[in-house]
Amino acid sequence: MLRLSKLTDYATVLLAYMAKTNSHLHTAVELSEATTIHVPTVSKVLKVLSKAGLVYATRGSKGGYQLAQGPEQITVASIIGALEGPVAITECSSQTHDCEQASACEIKGNWGVVNRAIINVLESITLADMMVSQQQYSSEEIQVSWQGLSR
Amino acid sequence: MLRLSKLTDYATVLLAYMAKTNSHLHTAVELSEATTIHVPTVSKVLKVLSKAGLVYATRGSKGGYQLAQGPEQITVASIIGALEGPVAITECSSQTHDCEQASACEIKGNWGVVNRAIINVLESITLADMMVSQQQYSSEEIQVSWQGLSR
DNA sequence: TCGATATAGGACTAAATTAGTACTGTATAA
DNA sequence: TTATACAGTACTAATTTAGTCCTATATCGA
Ligand code: FES
Ligand code: FES
């Protein structure tokens, strides 16, 4: 299925909301109400995003979170990286890892190539791109839409 | 991490071996010995590949498996699809699904665009591409290598 | 300075998914 | 008929993910 974790999805929704309304600091409670994600989960996600440097956190009363960079600077790859670590579609796709099958393997190194191709896609899409309104679409229209996003 | 299941990795290794040595039918035991993947697992994977039509199976003595299509016709997307179902990086990325946050969501439809972009990559890479020998590489070299593979 | 507010960090439990194995049934060749 | 090899399915164990909670720390304002 090649699925992202729910937390990564939550993170993207939360960041998009913050990007849209960046006039003030956002508390975890406010973000929860805006997105319908439960408070403990919002809190968990934002702690991770803060540690990764994607949001800036202020403690105490009048505190809250704000984006640390503009929506054009935050890539989908960086959001995934913050929540799940670097993209690695198989154990074998990072350069440093030695795979079990070692010398016998017919496809050695090729997962790395596929992985890099996917990372390139994910690095080319920013939070700003994720906020453009999408209509109902057919497969072909997605293709067109994507052409517009890619650089 | 955006990870594929191990079974998908196994499937690709097995198909690559079959592609390289397509002179005869391959039994599960032979494939196990060639790849070091345990027999029950080889068997499980091949049953799935057979059902998906990627390999053709012959029962009985002198039986075994062979590729149902040429290595150039089998895409990485089709291998993933056979083992894990269609690629869907989030619950929200398939057109038909209604997401929880519904109307409030700032990024509605955009996971679908990202998903389609990734599918395009995976559909453009074939089993034949996965069999080209890869040297040790730097990030830039991967980029070059990938340019060569893409169409 | 005290108390209210809000995040930081970590631990913990429950749920879901994945991996691996085993068993019974069916087809084929000699 | 017998040995071989795949088909289908069920089951268990292992791993990962999601969700919650508790304690500590920082900040503001009365
Ligand atoms: S899958 Fe790891 S070396 Fe082939
Ligand atoms: S994440 Fe599903 S509608 Fe926004």
Side-chain angles (χ1 to χ4, degrees):
Chain A
M1 257 189 313
L2 202 76
R3 183 150 293 192
L4 294 171
S5 77
K6 284 194 181 186
L7 296 184
T8 302
D9 193 354
Y10 296 156
T12 309
V13 171
L14 290 166
L15 289 169
Y17 174 80
M18 291 170 75
K20 192 190 176 192
T21 60
N22 63 353
S23 49
H24 61 297
L25 266 53
H26 306 273
T27 68
V29 170
E30 178 205 337
L31 291 168
S32 171
E33 286 164 356
T35 60
T36 76
I37 303 166
H38 294 347
V39 176
T41 303
V42 170
S43 193
K44 179 177 190 171
V45 169
L46 284 167
K47 275 180 272 190
V48 175
L49 292 176
S50 170
K51 195 162 190 179
L54 295 183
V55 302
Y56 184 75
T58 310
R59 294 200 203 180
S61 67
K62 309 280 180 182
Y65 297 95
Q66 58 193 305
L67 292 188
Q69 311 162 49
E72 302 80 13
Q73 268 68 57
I74 299 179
T75 67
V76 172
S78 70
I79 302 172
I80 298 172
L83 274 292
E84 313 182 27
V87 170
I89 58 170
T90 63
E91 276 188 55
C92 215
S93 52
S94 73
Q95 287 98 312
T96 54
H97 180 81
D98 318 81
C99 185
E100 317 182 325
Q101 15 252 42
S103 55
C105 183
E106 216 54 57
I107 61 169
K108 188 161 30 179
N110 284 283
W111 280 130
V113 177
V114 178
N115 199 52
R116 170 45 56 185
I118 289 177
I119 290 175
N120 287 346
V121 169
L122 297 173
E123 284 181 342
S124 78
I125 304 175
T126 69
L127 186 57
D129 295 327
M130 290 295 280
M131 295 174 68
V132 310
S133 140
Q134 297 291 332
Q135 282 73 49
Q136 283 310 94
Y137 38 68
S138 67
S139 275
E140 293 85 319
E141 284 170 330
I142 291 180
Q143 183 60 34
V144 171
S145 180
W146 160 245
Q147 297 296 351
L149 286 179
S150 77
R151 14 206 94 148
Chain B
M1 259 185 314
L2 201 76
R3 183 150 293 193
L4 294 171
S5 77
K6 284 193 181 186
L7 297 184
T8 301
D9 193 354
Y10 295 155
T12 309
V13 171
L14 290 166
L15 290 169
Y17 174 79
M18 291 170 75
K20 193 190 177 193
T21 59
N22 63 352
S23 48
H24 61 297
L25 265 54
H26 306 273
T27 68
V29 169
E30 178 205 338
L31 290 168
S32 171
E33 285 165 357
T35 60
T36 77
I37 303 166
H38 294 348
V39 177
T41 303
V42 170
S43 193
K44 178 177 189 168
V45 169
L46 283 168
K47 275 180 273 192
V48 175
L49 292 176
S50 171
K51 194 161 191 179
L54 294 183
V55 301
Y56 183 76
T58 310
R59 294 199 203 181
S61 66
K62 310 279 182 181
Y65 297 96
Q66 58 193 305
L67 292 188
Q69 311 162 50
E72 302 79 12
Q73 268 68 57
I74 298 179
T75 67
V76 172
S78 70
I79 302 173
I80 298 172
L83 274 293
E84 313 183 27
V87 170
I89 58 170
T90 64
E91 275 188 57
C92 216
S93 52
S94 72
Q95 288 96 314
T96 53
H97 180 81
D98 317 80
C99 184
E100 317 180 325
Q101 15 252 42
S103 55
C105 182
E106 216 55 57
I107 61 169
K108 189 162 28 180
N110 284 284
W111 281 130
V113 177
V114 177
N115 198 53
R116 171 46 54 185
I118 289 177
I119 290 174
N120 287 346
V121 169
L122 297 174
E123 285 181 342
S124 77
I125 304 174
T126 69
L127 185 57
D129 294 327
M130 290 296 281
M131 296 175 67
V132 310
S133 141
Q134 297 292 332
Q135 283 73 49
Q136 282 309 95
Y137 38 69
S138 68
S139 274
E140 292 86 322
E141 283 170 331
I142 291 180
Q143 181 62 34
V144 170
S145 180
W146 161 245
Q147 298 294 351
L149 286 179
S150 77
R151 16 206 90 148

